[in-house]
Every structure is written in C-alpha cells, then in structure tokens.
C-alpha cells in the first residue's frame, strides 16, 4: 500500500498555494465517469509525493503506471499529466484526483460531496419562491448560462469548450433540482429553456456532443413531473405556443397543455 501524502497545510504559508477552485466547480466541469474514477483514486490512497507551491500542485498518481501530475492553483483543469489523455490536452482522472487532494488534504469526502448531479430532477416539493429567492435563482441561472457560450476557437481547445458547456448545464441542474414545484417556478424554467434554445439556434453554441440538447430534454422530463404534482404548472407551458424550437423539445409540454381542459383554452 502506498503511503498517504501529508495533508495540505491550512492556512498556507507564504510558499503554499491554496486552491482557487471549489469542490462544486470541479464536479460541475467533470463528466460523471471521470469524476467516479478520480474519486476512486483519491479514496484508495493512490496519490503520493504531493507538493504545493505558489503556482500549483504536483503529485504522483499510482494506477496502471505511475503518472506525474501537475495542477494549477488557479484552474484545476490547467496542468499536465503523462497519461494518454493528459498528453492530448484533455482533462484526466489523475488531474481531478490531485485537485481533490489539494482541496481536501487527504480527508474523506462525505456523501453529499461525492454526489455528482449531472441532470435536473424534480424536487417533489410544492411551493413558491419569495421575491428575494426569485432574484437569487434568476441571478444563479444567469451565472450558469455564462458557461454556455459561442464557440469560435481552434480545434485544440474544443474539448475544453465542451467542458464549459457541461459545467453550465451541471450548475443549472443543481439549481433546478432544488426548486419547489409551482406555476411560478415552471415559468422560470420555460423562460430558461427558451434562452438556451436561442443560444443553440442563433447564438453560435457548438453542441456537437449534445450536452445542451440533452440537458433541455432532461429539464422537459422534470417539468412533466411538475405537471403531475401540480396541474396548474401547465398554464406556464402556454409560453411555448407558436414557438419554433431547434429540435421540437416543447411538444411533450404542449401536449400536456392540450390535454388539460383548464389550460387548453
């Protein structure tokens, strides 16, 4: 068994770089398989020779081979690894594991910290938001939307761009999954989907991997659950009437509106 590296000093001295990235940021920008593999490396003591300086963190990660990893203190997805993915400028599980170590210092993660929510779900709770809560949710959504941006860069940074789309969608997934169910929150989500649709159709977003489209479809599924819990939610679906979306995602929601006598008129 490999010796566990000493915990990162907290607070850091003059030569110790404390991470600028938080745990949520790492999870938001990491795909589920990579996150699970990085967690396994972290929890099984595969990270040794951990060192920190003003620039970032270096360590040896033990797997099929010994991998020499460096992670920037400012951005966990910037660094290097001598594995196949790392040599091709792609974020790998070894870099994510070292970023985790830099944050947690070898301490265990609790269940909530380990959980990666990569798709929105219905909270199952009925209720409305207060005015301050609406402003906070709207601001959080706008912040997440900044990661879903046009692509006009060279092919070598395409994978990093897809990571940005994933981070935006994962951030939105967390926000949506905490919302109470009501006509009010349904309207917020419909407006969000229309903004995303506009980004896909006219905003220059390169969704070749289907990240944003998949998120829209998952949000539609969540809204279908909203309508089951509170049929009044279908009133907000009328915002989609006579809209032409990029791939027809609105049709299941409009069908619910047509099937509800109270909202069909």
């Amino acid at each position: 068994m490999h010796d566990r590296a000493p915990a990162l000093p907290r607070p850091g001295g003059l030569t110790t770089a404390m991470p600028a990235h938080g745990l949520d940021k790492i999870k938001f920008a990491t795909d589920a398989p990579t996150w699970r593999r990085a967690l396994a490396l972290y929890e099984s003591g595969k990270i040794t020779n951990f060192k920190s300086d003003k620039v970032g963190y270096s360590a040896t990660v033990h797997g099929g081979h010994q991998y020499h990893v460096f992670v920037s203190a400012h951005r966990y997805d910037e660094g290097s690894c001598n594995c196949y993915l790392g040599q091709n400028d792609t974020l790998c599980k070894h870099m994510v594991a070292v970023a985790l170590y830099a944050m947690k210092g070898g301490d265990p993660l609790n269940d909530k910290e380990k959980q990666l929510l990569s798709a929105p779900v219905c909270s199952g709770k009925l209720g409305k938001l207060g005015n301050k809560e609406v402003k906070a949710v709207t601001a959080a959504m706008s912040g997440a939307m900044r990661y879903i941006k046009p692509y006009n860069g060279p092919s070598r940074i395409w994978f990093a761009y897809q990571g940005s789309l994933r981070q935006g969608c994962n951030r939105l997934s967390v926000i949506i999954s905490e919302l109470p169910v009501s006509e009010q929150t349904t309207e917020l989500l419909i407006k969000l989907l229309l903004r995303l649709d506009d980004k896909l159709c006219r905003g220059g977003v390169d969704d070749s991997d289907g990240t944003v489209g998949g998120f829209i479809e998952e949000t539609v599924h969540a809204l279908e659950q909203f309508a089951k819990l509170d049929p009044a939610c279908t009133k907000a679906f009328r915002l989609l009437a006579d809209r032409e979306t990029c791939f027809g995602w609105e049709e299941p929601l409009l069908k619910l509106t047509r099937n509800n006598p109270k909202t069909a008129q």
Side-chain angles (χ1 to χ4, degrees), residues 217-232:
E217 290 182 333
E218 293 293 344
T219 303
V220 168
H221 293 327
L223 286 171
E224 289 175 318
Q225 294 301 311
F226 273 43
K228 287 183 180 180
L229 287 170
D230 182 1

PDB file of all heavy atoms in Angstrom, residues 217-232:
ATOM      1  N   GLU A 217     -33.717  18.286 -22.764  1.00  0.00           N
ATOM      2  CA  GLU A 217     -34.640  17.147 -22.711  1.00  0.00           C
ATOM      3  C   GLU A 217     -34.859  16.681 -21.270  1.00  0.00           C
ATOM      4  O   GLU A 217     -35.990  16.346 -20.881  1.00  0.00           O
ATOM      5  CB  GLU A 217     -34.090  16.010 -23.563  1.00  0.00           C
ATOM      6  CG  GLU A 217     -34.135  16.295 -25.065  1.00  0.00           C
ATOM      7  CD  GLU A 217     -33.638  15.124 -25.883  1.00  0.00           C
ATOM      8  OE1 GLU A 217     -32.815  14.335 -25.363  1.00  0.00           O
ATOM      9  OE2 GLU A 217     -34.061  14.993 -27.046  1.00  0.00           O
ATOM     10  N   GLU A 218     -33.798  16.654 -20.464  1.00  0.00           N
ATOM     11  CA  GLU A 218     -33.936  16.242 -19.058  1.00  0.00           C
ATOM     12  C   GLU A 218     -34.780  17.244 -18.283  1.00  0.00           C
ATOM     13  O   GLU A 218     -35.564  16.866 -17.390  1.00  0.00           O
ATOM     14  CB  GLU A 218     -32.556  16.094 -18.411  1.00  0.00           C
ATOM     15  CG  GLU A 218     -31.716  14.950 -18.959  1.00  0.00           C
ATOM     16  CD  GLU A 218     -32.283  13.586 -18.624  1.00  0.00           C
ATOM     17  OE1 GLU A 218     -33.155  13.493 -17.726  1.00  0.00           O
ATOM     18  OE2 GLU A 218     -31.859  12.595 -19.244  1.00  0.00           O
ATOM     19  N   THR A 219     -34.643  18.530 -18.617  1.00  0.00           N
ATOM     20  CA  THR A 219     -35.451  19.549 -17.945  1.00  0.00           C
ATOM     21  C   THR A 219     -36.919  19.407 -18.330  1.00  0.00           C
ATOM     22  O   THR A 219     -37.821  19.597 -17.494  1.00  0.00           O
ATOM     23  CB  THR A 219     -34.941  20.954 -18.292  1.00  0.00           C
ATOM     24  OG1 THR A 219     -33.552  21.057 -17.940  1.00  0.00           O
ATOM     25  CG2 THR A 219     -35.721  22.034 -17.540  1.00  0.00           C
ATOM     26  N   VAL A 220     -37.178  19.059 -19.580  1.00  0.00           N
ATOM     27  CA  VAL A 220     -38.559  18.793 -20.017  1.00  0.00           C
ATOM     28  C   VAL A 220     -39.140  17.638 -19.216  1.00  0.00           C
ATOM     29  O   VAL A 220     -40.297  17.690 -18.763  1.00  0.00           O
ATOM     30  CB  VAL A 220     -38.612  18.504 -21.526  1.00  0.00           C
ATOM     31  CG1 VAL A 220     -39.985  17.949 -21.929  1.00  0.00           C
ATOM     32  CG2 VAL A 220     -38.308  19.774 -22.321  1.00  0.00           C
ATOM     33  N   HIS A 221     -38.363  16.582 -19.005  1.00  0.00           N
ATOM     34  CA  HIS A 221     -38.841  15.448 -18.191  1.00  0.00           C
ATOM     35  C   HIS A 221     -39.172  15.910 -16.772  1.00  0.00           C
ATOM     36  O   HIS A 221     -40.183  15.486 -16.187  1.00  0.00           O
ATOM     37  CB  HIS A 221     -37.783  14.348 -18.134  1.00  0.00           C
ATOM     38  CG  HIS A 221     -37.527  13.679 -19.454  1.00  0.00           C
ATOM     39  ND1 HIS A 221     -38.514  13.494 -20.390  1.00  0.00           N
ATOM     40  CD2 HIS A 221     -36.390  13.141 -19.986  1.00  0.00           C
ATOM     41  CE1 HIS A 221     -38.003  12.876 -21.452  1.00  0.00           C
ATOM     42  NE2 HIS A 221     -36.727  12.659 -21.220  1.00  0.00           N
ATOM     43  N   ALA A 222     -38.322  16.789 -16.210  1.00  0.00           N
ATOM     44  CA  ALA A 222     -38.585  17.303 -14.872  1.00  0.00           C
ATOM     45  C   ALA A 222     -39.876  18.117 -14.858  1.00  0.00           C
ATOM     46  O   ALA A 222     -40.682  18.015 -13.919  1.00  0.00           O
ATOM     47  CB  ALA A 222     -37.411  18.156 -14.397  1.00  0.00           C
ATOM     48  N   LEU A 223     -40.104  18.902 -15.916  1.00  0.00           N
ATOM     49  CA  LEU A 223     -41.324  19.712 -15.991  1.00  0.00           C
ATOM     50  C   LEU A 223     -42.572  18.840 -16.146  1.00  0.00           C
ATOM     51  O   LEU A 223     -43.654  19.210 -15.668  1.00  0.00           O
ATOM     52  CB  LEU A 223     -41.223  20.697 -17.154  1.00  0.00           C
ATOM     53  CG  LEU A 223     -40.286  21.892 -16.914  1.00  0.00           C
ATOM     54  CD1 LEU A 223     -40.085  22.681 -18.189  1.00  0.00           C
ATOM     55  CD2 LEU A 223     -40.843  22.791 -15.805  1.00  0.00           C
ATOM     56  N   GLU A 224     -42.433  17.708 -16.786  1.00  0.00           N
ATOM     57  CA  GLU A 224     -43.555  16.777 -16.855  1.00  0.00           C
ATOM     58  C   GLU A 224     -43.923  16.289 -15.454  1.00  0.00           C
ATOM     59  O   GLU A 224     -45.112  16.108 -15.134  1.00  0.00           O
ATOM     60  CB  GLU A 224     -43.203  15.601 -17.772  1.00  0.00           C
ATOM     61  CG  GLU A 224     -43.138  15.981 -19.243  1.00  0.00           C
ATOM     62  CD  GLU A 224     -42.662  14.836 -20.120  1.00  0.00           C
ATOM     63  OE1 GLU A 224     -41.709  14.129 -19.718  1.00  0.00           O
ATOM     64  OE2 GLU A 224     -43.241  14.640 -21.202  1.00  0.00           O
ATOM     65  N   GLN A 225     -42.906  16.098 -14.606  1.00  0.00           N
ATOM     66  CA  GLN A 225     -43.167  15.722 -13.221  1.00  0.00           C
ATOM     67  C   GLN A 225     -43.805  16.880 -12.457  1.00  0.00           C
ATOM     68  O   GLN A 225     -44.675  16.670 -11.607  1.00  0.00           O
ATOM     69  CB  GLN A 225     -41.862  15.288 -12.546  1.00  0.00           C
ATOM     70  CG  GLN A 225     -41.258  14.013 -13.102  1.00  0.00           C
ATOM     71  CD  GLN A 225     -42.203  12.841 -12.987  1.00  0.00           C
ATOM     72  OE1 GLN A 225     -42.772  12.594 -11.926  1.00  0.00           O
ATOM     73  NE2 GLN A 225     -42.382  12.107 -14.073  1.00  0.00           N
ATOM     74  N   PHE A 226     -43.376  18.113 -12.788  1.00  0.00           N
ATOM     75  CA  PHE A 226     -44.016  19.286 -12.184  1.00  0.00           C
ATOM     76  C   PHE A 226     -45.525  19.243 -12.436  1.00  0.00           C
ATOM     77  O   PHE A 226     -46.333  19.465 -11.526  1.00  0.00           O
ATOM     78  CB  PHE A 226     -43.446  20.571 -12.809  1.00  0.00           C
ATOM     79  CG  PHE A 226     -42.201  21.105 -12.157  1.00  0.00           C
ATOM     80  CD1 PHE A 226     -41.165  20.263 -11.783  1.00  0.00           C
ATOM     81  CD2 PHE A 226     -42.045  22.468 -11.939  1.00  0.00           C
ATOM     82  CE1 PHE A 226     -40.013  20.758 -11.203  1.00  0.00           C
ATOM     83  CE2 PHE A 226     -40.899  22.979 -11.358  1.00  0.00           C
ATOM     84  CZ  PHE A 226     -39.880  22.120 -10.995  1.00  0.00           C
ATOM     85  N   ALA A 227     -45.890  18.982 -13.699  1.00  0.00           N
ATOM     86  CA  ALA A 227     -47.307  18.999 -14.086  1.00  0.00           C
ATOM     87  C   ALA A 227     -48.101  17.897 -13.389  1.00  0.00           C
ATOM     88  O   ALA A 227     -49.292  18.067 -13.111  1.00  0.00           O
ATOM     89  CB  ALA A 227     -47.429  18.863 -15.598  1.00  0.00           C
ATOM     90  N   LYS A 228     -47.459  16.773 -13.110  1.00  0.00           N
ATOM     91  CA  LYS A 228     -48.148  15.698 -12.398  1.00  0.00           C
ATOM     92  C   LYS A 228     -48.434  16.098 -10.950  1.00  0.00           C
ATOM     93  O   LYS A 228     -49.493  15.785 -10.402  1.00  0.00           O
ATOM     94  CB  LYS A 228     -47.310  14.417 -12.432  1.00  0.00           C
ATOM     95  CG  LYS A 228     -47.281  13.723 -13.788  1.00  0.00           C
ATOM     96  CD  LYS A 228     -46.480  12.436 -13.706  1.00  0.00           C
ATOM     97  CE  LYS A 228     -46.448  11.724 -15.060  1.00  0.00           C
ATOM     98  NZ  LYS A 228     -45.662  10.469 -15.000  1.00  0.00           N
ATOM     99  N   LEU A 229     -47.479  16.777 -10.342  1.00  0.00           N
ATOM    100  CA  LEU A 229     -47.647  17.184  -8.956  1.00  0.00           C
ATOM    101  C   LEU A 229     -48.618  18.360  -8.815  1.00  0.00           C
ATOM    102  O   LEU A 229     -49.367  18.444  -7.851  1.00  0.00           O
ATOM    103  CB  LEU A 229     -46.292  17.568  -8.353  1.00  0.00           C
ATOM    104  CG  LEU A 229     -45.327  16.414  -8.060  1.00  0.00           C
ATOM    105  CD1 LEU A 229     -43.952  16.945  -7.695  1.00  0.00           C
ATOM    106  CD2 LEU A 229     -45.862  15.557  -6.917  1.00  0.00           C
ATOM    107  N   ASP A 230     -48.571  19.275  -9.785  1.00  0.00           N
ATOM    108  CA  ASP A 230     -49.430  20.450  -9.749  1.00  0.00           C
ATOM    109  C   ASP A 230     -49.894  20.768 -11.166  1.00  0.00           C
ATOM    110  O   ASP A 230     -49.160  21.389 -11.940  1.00  0.00           O
ATOM    111  CB  ASP A 230     -48.673  21.646  -9.157  1.00  0.00           C
ATOM    112  CG  ASP A 230     -49.543  22.888  -9.050  1.00  0.00           C
ATOM    113  OD1 ASP A 230     -50.737  22.819  -9.413  1.00  0.00           O
ATOM    114  OD2 ASP A 230     -49.023  23.930  -8.605  1.00  0.00           O
ATOM    115  N   PRO A 231     -51.101  20.339 -11.545  1.00  0.00           N
ATOM    116  CA  PRO A 231     -51.598  20.565 -12.911  1.00  0.00           C
ATOM    117  C   PRO A 231     -51.601  22.033 -13.325  1.00  0.00           C
ATOM    118  O   PRO A 231     -51.557  22.343 -14.525  1.00  0.00           O
ATOM    119  CB  PRO A 231     -53.031  20.008 -12.855  1.00  0.00           C
ATOM    120  CG  PRO A 231     -52.976  18.967 -11.779  1.00  0.00           C
ATOM    121  CD  PRO A 231     -52.041  19.528 -10.746  1.00  0.00           C
ATOM    122  N   ALA A 232     -51.614  22.958 -12.359  1.00  0.00           N
ATOM    123  CA  ALA A 232     -51.590  24.385 -12.699  1.00  0.00           C
ATOM    124  C   ALA A 232     -50.290  24.776 -13.402  1.00  0.00           C
ATOM    125  O   ALA A 232     -50.239  25.809 -14.094  1.00  0.00           O
ATOM    126  CB  ALA A 232     -51.772  25.224 -11.442  1.00  0.00           C
TER     127      ALA A 232
END
